[in-house]
Amino acid sequence: MADFSPLHGRALITGGSSGLGLTFARHLARRGLDLVLAARNPERLDETARELRELGVDVEVLPADLSTDDGVQAVAERVGSTDSPINVLVNNAGAGLYTRMATADATALLAGTQLMALAPMVIGGAAAAAMKERGEGVIINTSSMAGAAPMGAYSAIKSFIRVWSDSLAIEVGKHGVQVVSFIPGWVRTEFHERSGVATSSIPSWLWLDADRVVAECLEDVDKGKTTSTPSKRFKAIGFLARHLPAPVIAAAVKKLNKGRR
């Protein structure tokens, strides 16, 4: 860890009661940060808050459904508040999106875009504005290695998040705000179980432990980085996805997607 870590004060985590969000919450609590957990299930939020308070930190819960405008606005107002300000935002809430793109019913596509593209953009923008005024802060935006390849609507959304995050980093970096594009690969959490999508086509060696990827991300934050891709294997995969010929990438995607829907 750096002599002075930018990870201090109070952190707000969207999707903070499960999966990678909960892992971020545990790691940040162990570092001594107070927490604000935003998620849509009040009962699970309360249960998670009780667990984390045992680590000696203050935990505030914010029930909010980020698939709704009201939920997004509630979190945006909290990150912009000058009372008990937010020093660290982990923009992490998400869900599986494996619906076909060739469809006359765009309901699922619009819901996924709202939750994983529009909501983090609005919340991240509000946090960046408040942090810019104070001259410090950290925003971690969860993208995905899936965003490096044409694997469907989920990939497109995660690609958007990476480009938006990288752009925000350039805009506010000179004002003391560190914006980090977090680009994990396949991580063992309940995320895939809840999405109901088969993962048997994904080789076992590609799976990573949630604690490992979060720890590496926070180490990258301490180093001042604006992009974090945990593990050498996914750094290599990201490099290949950027440089291999498009037909080779398309063939690999078809093989990987086989049996997932």
Side-chain angles (χ1 to χ4, degrees):
M1 189 186 303
D3 291 338
F4 175 77
S5 174
L7 298 165
H8 63 271
R10 179 174 285 100
L12 186 148
I13 306 164
T14 64
S17 63
S18 63
L20 279 174
L22 177 54
T23 306
F24 269 109
R26 288 170 175 157
H27 279 249
L28 291 171
R30 293 186 192 115
R31 285 170 170 249
L33 278 76
D34 294 324
L35 302 173
V36 180
L37 305 180
R40 61 183 176 179
N41 186 320
E43 292 77 15
R44 187 157 189 176
L45 274 174
D46 289 337
E47 179 183 340
T48 304
R50 285 193 294 271
E51 172 201 331
L52 294 169
R53 287 179 186 127
E54 292 181 0
L55 297 175
V57 299
D58 179 68
V59 183
E60 174 188 339
V61 296
L62 177 54
D65 183 351
L66 298 187
S67 67
T68 69
D69 291 339
D70 288 345
V72 172
Q73 186 59 34
V75 179
E77 289 178 0
R78 182 63 187 87
V79 297
S81 173
T82 56
D83 298 326
S84 61
I86 300 301
N87 306 91
V88 178
L89 167 66
V90 182
N91 234 342
N92 176 78
L97 179 62
Y98 301 100
T99 186
R100 297 289 184 181
M101 293 183 292
T103 177
D105 181 2
T107 302
L109 296 173
L110 292 173
T113 303
Q114 163 72 22
L115 175 63
M116 294 183 286
L118 299 181
M121 183 169 63
V122 172
I123 293 166
M131 292 173 181
K132 177 181 173 181
E133 286 294 316
R134 296 196 302 271
E136 67 166 346
V138 174
I139 299 172
I140 300 171
N141 297 307
T142 299
S143 179
S144 171
M145 186 54 64
M151 297 174 65
Y154 180 83
S155 297
I157 289 170
K158 289 303 185 179
S159 178
F160 166 85
I161 284 295
R162 179 185 55 77
V163 174
W164 169 77
S165 181
D166 290 348
S167 301
L168 184 62
I170 294 171
E171 179 180 324
V172 299
K174 59 182 176 288
H175 300 288
V177 183
Q178 181 182 358
V179 181
V180 182
S181 296
F182 173 46
I183 310 174
W186 283 281
V187 184
R188 293 197 183 280
T189 69
E190 62 187 85
F191 176 87
H192 294 93
E193 293 178 11
R194 291 168 67 184
S195 70
V197 174
T199 58
S200 58
S201 63
I202 302 171
S204 59
W205 59 270
L206 281 178
W207 290 97
L208 296 176
D209 174 72
D211 282 307
R212 173 185 175 176
V213 299
V214 168
E216 288 194 31
C217 178
L218 298 182
E219 288 170 5
D220 286 339
V221 173
D222 282 332
K223 294 174 183 175
K225 295 184 178 182
T226 56
T227 299
S228 177
T229 302
S231 86
K232 292 180 180 179
R233 75 194 74 165
F234 279 105
K235 286 181 175 68
I237 290 170
F239 177 85
L240 292 173
R242 291 190 299 272
H243 294 93
L244 285 175
V248 175
I249 298 297
V253 168
K254 289 177 183 177
K255 183 175 181 180
L256 190 62
N257 279 344
K258 187 178 180 180
R260 296 186 71 203
R261 294 190 177 94

